[in-house]
Amino acid sequence: MLRLMELSRTLRTVLLVMLILVAGLADMRDARAEYGDVVINNYSDGAGMRPAVFPHWFHRIRFRCKVCHADLGFKFKAGGNEINMVKIIDGQYCGACHNGNIAWSIENCNLCHSGKPGTPTQVHESTISTLAVPQKAQVTQPAQQPKK
């Protein structure tokens, strides 16, 4: 009887593990950026790494804009920052928090470098992409004098 109970417990454990694995595999998709995420590929392709995907929304719900954009010096423009791994290791940009004390450190490359190779630096699916006039298309019009 004791053996039957142990076998039953083992069988339930195996089934539970299999269910968890199947549920996890069913949800596996290619890595992709979410709305408003920033793809950083200033140097990644050249270094043989996948582009980094910065989860802006995830950080924004935890911190005010000034933490990164004023205190850490991130510019409000995708591609406007000269971020590289040497600077991050030295505690600049992402490295100010991702130092192993405040947040996880840089040892797990794939946690950041998860973008598709060749993806340009950009804000992914940002409304600014559809609302902004492309730089080349902007035409400066002379100011018109008001009619009297």
Side-chain angles (χ1 to χ4, degrees):
M1 185 68 173
L2 185 58
R3 247 177 179 218
L4 187 57
M5 288 176 58
E6 287 177 18
L7 181 61
S8 176
R9 186 177 306 144
T10 304
L11 183 59
R12 282 185 292 182
T13 303
V14 168
L15 287 173
L16 181 61
V17 168
M18 288 176 58
L19 181 64
I20 291 169
L21 288 173
V22 168
L25 290 174
D27 193 40
M28 285 181 66
R29 295 182 278 260
D30 289 338
R32 64 181 182 85
E34 293 291 333
Y35 176 81
D37 284 353
V38 180
V39 177
I40 305 169
N41 194 4
N42 296 349
Y43 306 107
S44 298
D45 280 342
M49 291 291 295
R50 295 175 75 173
V53 177
F54 172 71
H56 188 270
W57 66 271
F58 183 83
H59 288 78
R60 182 56 192 98
I61 61 175
R62 287 163 178 77
F63 305 102
R64 293 181 184 260
C65 301
K66 79 170 219 63
V67 172
C68 297
H69 291 288
D71 300 347
L72 298 180
F74 282 95
K75 295 178 183 169
F76 282 98
K77 181 177 188 249
N81 302 283
E82 295 294 320
I83 304 169
N84 61 45
M85 290 309 298
V86 172
K87 291 179 181 178
I88 292 172
I89 292 167
D90 285 342
Q92 297 177 44
Y93 296 112
C94 312
C97 294
H98 288 279
N99 55 18
N101 294 324
I102 298 171
W104 49 266
S105 190
I106 62 165
E107 287 80 24
N108 298 311
C109 305
N110 63 339
L111 290 177
C112 295
H113 291 275
S114 62
K116 292 182 180 177
T119 304
T121 296
Q122 63 177 314
V123 177
H124 182 75
E125 293 185 359
S126 171
T127 54
I128 194 71
S129 299
T130 57
L131 296 176
V133 176
Q135 196 69 16
K136 292 179 182 176
Q138 290 180 347
V139 177
T140 306
Q141 297 289 332
Q144 292 185 2
Q145 298 294 323
K147 293 183 180 179
K148 293 185 181 182

